[in-house]
Amino acid sequence: MLCGLWRSRHRRPEEPPVPAQVAAPVALPSPPAPQDGGTKRPGLRALKKMGLTEDEDVRAMLQGSTLCKIRSRTWHKERFYRLQEDGLSVWFQRRIRRAPSQHIFYVQHIEAVREGHQSEGLRRFGGAFAPARCLTIAFKGRRKNLDLAAPTAEEAQRWVRGLAKLRARLDAMNQRERLDHWIHSYLHRADSNQDSKMSFKEIKSLLLMVNVDMNDMYAYRLFKECDRSNNERLEGPEIEEFLRRLLKRPELEEIFHRYSGEDRVLSAPELLEFLEDQGEDGATLARAQQLIHTYELNETAKQHELMTLDGFMMYLLSPEGAALDPAHTGVFQDMNQPLAHYFISSSHNTYLTDSQIGGPSSTEAYVRAFAQGCRCVELDCWEGPGGEPVIYHGHTLTSKILFRDVVQAVRDHAFTLSPYPVILSLENHCGLEQQATMARHLRSILGDMLVTQVLDSQNPEELPSPELKGRVLVKGKKLPAARSDEGRILSDREEEEEEEDDEEEAGAAEQRRRAKQISPELSALAVYCGATRLRTLRPAPPPPPPGQVSSLSERKAKKLIREAGNSFVRHNVHQLTRVYPLGLRMNSANYSPQEMWNSGCQLVALNFQTPGYEMDLNAGRFLINGQCGYVLKPACLRQPDTTFDPECPGPPRTTLTIQVLTAQQLPKLNAEKPNSIVDPLVRIEIHGVTSDCARKETNYVLNNGFNPRWGQTLQFQLRAPELALVRFVVEDYDTTSPNDFVGQFTLPLNSLKQGYRHIHLLSKDGASLSPATLFVHICIQGS
């Protein structure tokens, strides 16, 4: 029953009657009353729906402010910033209009707004401005921070408070409100003379803006059907009727009418039947009644415990109707097992904001990594002037930042998103004196956050659990009790150099391998994460000491997976393993983390500054469990006597069937070319053990990014479903060049809900593309 897409319990009549009490669909609000001497301002409609038109801070932002943008000690430029009437974007330009330099940033792309000198830029270059006048707007993805100084402290506070209110209201919007907001913002832009009336030419402009290449005859017919005043202009209710027709979802109507029958409303028992066919856990009549009271928009229908089509759409567009299991969005896993039993979100060369050859280093890169849920960051430490260690990519042109500034960033930002422990992975190239300085900074700045001794004296060798909240662990070289070549400690870079030295002369290689001096003060801080070398794995090795961490390049890890698959898995049951990209990846490219996760490697370190499918997989892996940066490994990767081998996972156990139905409101890729419309196709990728990896795609739909339809079914056979990630990708088809990326969403198969689901798409940088969605039907069958 679960996989049956179409049902025929109810016959669908041609024109079924609708009960009078719920006959009228919930109307979209009309434009606001005329203002400013009779001129309507349709853009304010969006803010009115947000309930913010009377807010003093928002009204001040609508008027605009001249703020000083700060980039360096000498680069301080005045810019005029003004909130646009859609309430979703801020427009800014040079105060002296030498060139047409008008720009926009969007509220939904803001990661955080910080007051005072709370960014690297303002700490370094904002000394001329009082902290009370300063604010920093930090963006998601790779966009640089915007450091600003206002003329007064009160004006700075207005922007801080106003942006906070706009972000909070945007986060609270349901998908239907976001869609309404989105379409009206385009309507406002298409109304070229801002008279709140839409000519057919303006309607055509609107259609192109929202990615629709509609036939002129069909578009004009639709236009005239709504032009009840017959004056070649749409206004007020006529515009709302046009938008209602444009936003119709025939595929949802079809599903709704299969369950609602002739009366075209869903009773609670009928909704319950839909939930049961969806495979919803805990589907009861009480649950169906609760959904009606939560999502139904028509108060009369709600009183009669009925759900209209509008309420049904609200439900399917909500988080409860999404592909991601809502029960997995918070912390739901056992967090009391040893650290080695978890995948841990990890960053490589965390300090870099670009390539590892000449890119800038910044403490802001650490702040951004923590904002993405990262729990293990890297500090590449080198001798600095004045006795102060610095962090940069050694022997390159990357800029340098102070070690102590990074530790301060850890103290201030490591636990803003997740309370679970952070691991500082030290790659140490300093002499004894500056190593002691590093240890001193760690102790003095982090204070009680820093773990400086074993926590369980009864079991000193046992790794702690993630319940070690708010604490910082140091991973670094440790003085061995008895030095021998077998047990000698190496840093990550030494291990990498050792691999690359295989073809060098023996004398030179031996010189590179010589043990470095280790400061006792710094060694003492590597309580649970002493860096060690992993040479080989025997078929049945004794359990390694839990307090050691092996660091392997991706090449060495792949070699171990091929040659000692099960032994490597067993090794990772007891001990942490960190994997990092090859040093040859000069542009800070990433490798696929999935192969490493398949073997139970916990600290699979990626370049967080480099977007791509690899970071999509990382975001998808850690999307669940509250995005806290810790995900419990499957049981087959935690059992001491496990027989699991990722290279030989056994026969297929699960069939995944996905019917790709439609997409909605896909983003326009080339806004500068109004006639450029996407030709979308959908690709579904499975990332798991090698034998499960697959990708299949639909045909492309010509010239329709607004509401393309496919109705194609893609099927996959899986041998290790507990490790699989499912990636939904939308691309713009191109016959002569590679397809262009439109959006994606990645999540673990075990967190994928069955039935009719919406996929809420994300950009390359992981930002929401709301209201862009895919609509699919999902069926998961075990053998």
Side-chain angles (χ1 to χ4, degrees):
M1 192 67 167
L2 188 60
C3 294
L5 295 178
W6 310 116
R7 303 174 354 124
S8 57
R9 182 174 67 84
H10 300 295
R11 187 177 62 178
R12 184 178 177 185
E14 288 301 314
E15 291 293 334
V18 180
Q21 69 268 26
V22 293
V26 178
L28 295 169
S30 299
Q35 301 177 31
D36 301 333
T39 302
K40 295 181 183 178
R41 299 179 65 189
L44 286 176
R45 176 186 185 283
L47 279 171
K48 185 176 182 180
K49 279 189 70 72
M50 296 171 80
L52 294 173
T53 48
E54 300 305 315
D55 184 90
E56 288 187 7
D57 296 323
V58 172
R59 289 177 71 87
M61 292 170 67
L62 285 167
Q63 294 298 317
S65 299
T66 299
L67 306 175
C68 185
K69 182 178 177 180
I70 301 167
R71 280 189 181 171
S72 69
R73 283 189 177 85
T74 57
W75 200 101
H76 300 167
K77 305 287 186 182
E78 287 190 337
R79 297 282 185 267
F80 184 73
Y81 292 83
R82 181 169 63 80
L83 176 68
Q84 297 207 120
E85 292 175 352
D86 60 8
L88 296 175
S89 53
V90 175
W91 172 92
F92 58 99
Q93 70 170 21
R94 291 191 180 101
R95 189 179 183 190
I96 302 173
R97 302 178 188 179
R98 298 192 308 271
S101 60
Q102 299 177 4
H103 305 281
I104 286 174
F105 66 80
Y106 292 93
V107 174
Q108 70 176 18
H109 294 162
I110 295 175
E111 181 73 58
V113 179
R114 305 181 212 146
E115 303 177 49
H117 293 173
Q118 292 299 313
S119 71
E120 183 179 52
L122 285 175
R123 280 194 295 269
R124 293 176 64 191
F125 311 129
F129 303 92
R133 291 171 50 196
C134 295
L135 66 144
T136 297
I137 301 173
F139 296 96
K140 298 173 183 176
R142 303 184 71 181
R143 183 167 182 166
K144 293 180 180 178
N145 288 354
L146 186 57
D147 291 321
L148 301 170
T152 65
E154 176 56 27
E155 194 155 7
Q157 278 299 305
R158 284 200 181 280
W159 278 86
V160 170
R161 293 191 302 258
L163 287 172
K165 293 168 189 173
L166 291 168
R167 293 175 66 213
R169 183 63 189 93
L170 192 61
D171 288 343
M173 277 185 175
N174 61 48
Q175 187 72 5
R176 189 66 179 271
E177 289 174 317
R178 288 171 183 263
L179 175 58
D180 185 33
H181 206 140
W182 175 84
I183 193 67
H184 278 86
S185 68
Y186 278 106
L187 184 70
H188 181 55
R189 288 164 57 185
D191 184 8
S192 55
N193 59 358
Q194 298 296 294
D195 64 351
S196 296
K197 300 177 182 180
M198 300 296 289
S199 66
F200 179 64
K201 182 179 179 181
E202 289 171 327
I203 286 292
K204 282 290 291 181
S205 175
L206 170 69
L207 293 174
L208 290 174
M209 285 180 184
V210 298
N211 240 338
V212 181
D213 185 18
M214 191 179 290
N215 175 276
D216 277 2
M217 290 182 63
Y218 177 76
Y220 187 67
R221 188 179 75 198
L222 186 62
F223 176 85
K224 288 304 293 179
E225 287 173 357
C226 299
D227 182 16
R228 303 190 186 280
S229 57
N230 202 30
N231 64 354
E232 297 297 319
R233 295 283 189 278
L234 302 185
E235 57 182 312
E238 296 172 336
I239 294 175
E240 300 303 328
E241 175 63 20
F242 181 85
L243 295 181
R244 186 184 306 283
R245 295 188 181 206
L246 189 65
L247 295 170
K248 280 186 72 170
R249 295 282 302 276
E251 77 282 17
L252 288 187
E253 293 181 27
E254 191 172 352
I255 298 164
F256 180 79
H257 293 315
R258 272 190 237 122
Y259 289 85
S260 64
E262 294 186 0
D263 55 6
R264 295 206 174 185
V265 289
L266 283 175
S267 65
E270 287 171 329
L271 180 57
L272 172 60
E273 189 169 356
F274 172 76
L275 297 177
E276 290 172 340
D277 288 353
Q278 288 274 90
E280 288 284 358
D281 295 331
T284 63
L285 187 62
R287 174 65 176 149
Q289 292 166 337
Q290 180 191 17
L291 290 175
I292 290 172
H293 284 277
T294 302
Y295 295 107
E296 178 51 49
L297 302 171
N298 188 298
E299 288 299 324
T300 306
K302 190 183 296 186
Q303 290 169 12
H304 289 79
E305 291 193 341
L306 297 173
M307 180 176 272
T308 64
L309 175 61
D310 278 348
F312 187 65
M313 290 176 65
M314 285 285 288
Y315 164 57
L316 286 180
L317 285 167
S318 76
E320 292 187 276
L324 175 64
D325 189 341
H328 291 189
T329 56
V331 176
F332 71 99
Q333 295 180 328
D334 177 6
M335 302 300 282
N336 290 293
Q337 300 195 32
L339 290 176
H341 287 188
Y342 297 84
F343 296 128
I344 304 172
S345 181
S346 304
S347 164
H348 176 65
N349 288 350
T350 312
Y351 47 90
L352 291 178
T353 59
D354 207 327
S355 81
Q356 62 185 47
I357 296 302
S361 304
S362 171
T363 58
E364 289 295 331
Y366 289 88
V367 178
R368 293 190 180 213
F370 290 134
Q372 295 177 67
C374 184
R375 297 289 86 192
C376 178
V377 295
E378 184 179 29
L379 289 74
D380 196 344
C381 310
W382 296 79
E383 293 266 318
E388 285 292 341
V390 295
I391 292 176
Y392 81 114
H393 198 67
H395 309 301
T396 68
L397 298 177
T398 58
S399 62
K400 301 173 183 178
I401 51 179
L402 290 175
F403 175 84
R404 68 165 182 250
D405 288 347
V406 171
V407 179
Q408 287 171 353
V410 171
R411 178 196 63 197
D412 296 340
H413 299 281
F415 302 104
T416 52
L417 181 72
S418 169
Y420 293 99
V422 163
I423 300 172
L424 304 184
S425 180
L426 303 185
E427 186 180 311
N428 177 20
H429 304 274
C430 295
L432 289 176
E433 186 177 339
Q434 291 206 11
Q435 286 183 46
T437 301
M438 289 165 58
R440 188 169 64 252
H441 286 325
L442 287 166
R443 286 180 180 272
S444 63
I445 295 171
L446 297 178
D448 291 341
M449 288 182 176
L450 187 66
V451 174
T452 58
Q453 58 187 9
V454 293
L455 303 169
D456 184 355
S457 57
Q458 301 299 316
N459 300 289
E461 292 293 312
E462 187 172 309
L463 282 172
S465 78
E467 284 297 335
L468 191 66
K469 292 180 179 177
R471 303 297 296 275
V472 177
L473 299 167
V474 171
K475 170 195 164 290
K477 294 183 288 185
K478 195 169 180 65
L479 284 169
R483 185 179 294 273
S484 69
D485 189 57
E486 184 66 27
R488 188 168 62 80
I489 310 300
L490 293 180
S491 73
D492 291 350
R493 186 71 63 217
E494 288 179 283
E495 172 121 7
E496 185 175 311
E497 288 171 348
E498 181 173 321
E499 291 184 23
E500 294 167 359
D501 279 341
D502 289 345
E503 298 178 2
E504 293 185 9
E505 294 181 6
E510 187 61 33
Q511 185 179 6
R512 281 181 173 271
R513 290 192 191 99
R514 70 177 184 270
K516 289 189 175 181
Q517 291 179 308
I518 304 168
S519 155
E521 297 91 339
L522 196 57
S523 171
L525 298 182
V527 178
Y528 287 108
C529 300
T532 188
R533 175 194 298 172
L534 181 62
R535 281 177 173 270
T536 57
L537 287 170
R538 288 168 284 175
Q548 294 182 349
V549 182
S550 305
S551 283
L552 311 172
S553 74
E554 57 178 289
R555 181 167 60 192
K556 179 72 173 290
K558 288 178 180 179
K559 185 172 185 288
L560 287 172
I561 293 167
R562 287 193 310 269
E563 298 177 359
N566 177 250
S567 294
F568 195 28
V569 170
R570 290 192 179 199
H571 172 88
N572 290 327
V573 170
H574 302 280
Q575 184 174 303
L576 293 171
T577 297
R578 181 177 183 270
V579 183
Y580 57 90
L582 277 175
L584 299 175
R585 294 180 179 272
M586 301 300 183
N587 61 348
S588 294
N590 280 311
Y591 58 95
S592 173
Q594 185 65 47
E595 192 172 1
M596 316 308 168
W597 289 326
N598 292 341
S599 297
C601 297
Q602 302 87 352
L603 303 165
V604 183
L606 298 176
N607 290 295
F608 271 48
Q609 76 273 24
T610 308
Y613 87 91
E614 302 93 346
M615 279 302 298
D616 292 343
L617 297 185
N618 196 75
R621 175 65 67 199
F622 295 101
L623 176 68
I624 62 169
N625 209 33
Q627 299 185 53
C628 72
Y630 286 84
V631 169
L632 189 65
K633 297 195 293 188
C636 65
L637 299 179
R638 292 183 276 123
Q639 297 159 348
D641 57 351
T642 180
T643 59
F644 180 76
D645 185 338
E647 297 295 289
C648 305
R653 294 189 281 131
T654 300
T655 300
L656 171 66
T657 305
I658 299 177
Q659 187 179 31
V660 181
L661 298 170
T662 60
Q664 296 75 42
Q665 292 82 52
L666 299 176
K668 194 177 183 70
L669 298 185
N670 195 339
E672 296 177 359
K673 294 184 178 179
N675 293 320
S676 174
I677 308 291
V678 299
D679 304 326
L681 62 82
V682 178
R683 184 173 65 252
I684 296 175
E685 302 171 356
I686 304 298
H687 296 264
V689 297
T690 305
S691 52
D692 284 349
C693 291
R695 53 173 58 195
K696 297 181 180 180
E697 61 187 37
T698 66
N699 299 327
Y700 68 91
V701 175
L702 185 65
N703 285 339
N704 188 351
F706 187 76
N707 54 2
R709 298 182 64 129
W710 291 278
Q712 291 181 249
T713 300
L714 310 176
Q715 193 171 84
F716 305 88
Q717 302 293 325
L718 303 173
R719 290 167 170 79
E722 63 271 33
L723 281 164
L725 293 172
V726 184
R727 184 171 183 251
F728 296 84
V729 188
V730 181
E731 290 184 340
D732 180 14
Y733 176 77
D734 198 306
T735 55
T736 58
S737 61
N739 296 343
D740 292 320
F741 175 88
V742 175
Q744 70 85 35
F745 188 77
T746 305
L747 76 168
L749 176 69
N750 284 350
S751 297
L752 188 63
K753 295 276 280 183
Q754 300 193 69
Y756 292 103
R757 301 291 168 187
H758 281 95
I759 311 291
H760 297 265
L761 296 174
L762 304 175
S763 70
K764 275 184 179 178
D765 287 335
S768 169
L769 291 175
S770 180
T773 54
L774 285 178
F775 186 53
V776 300
H777 185 277
I778 298 165
C779 176
I780 304 171
Q781 292 175 304
S783 58

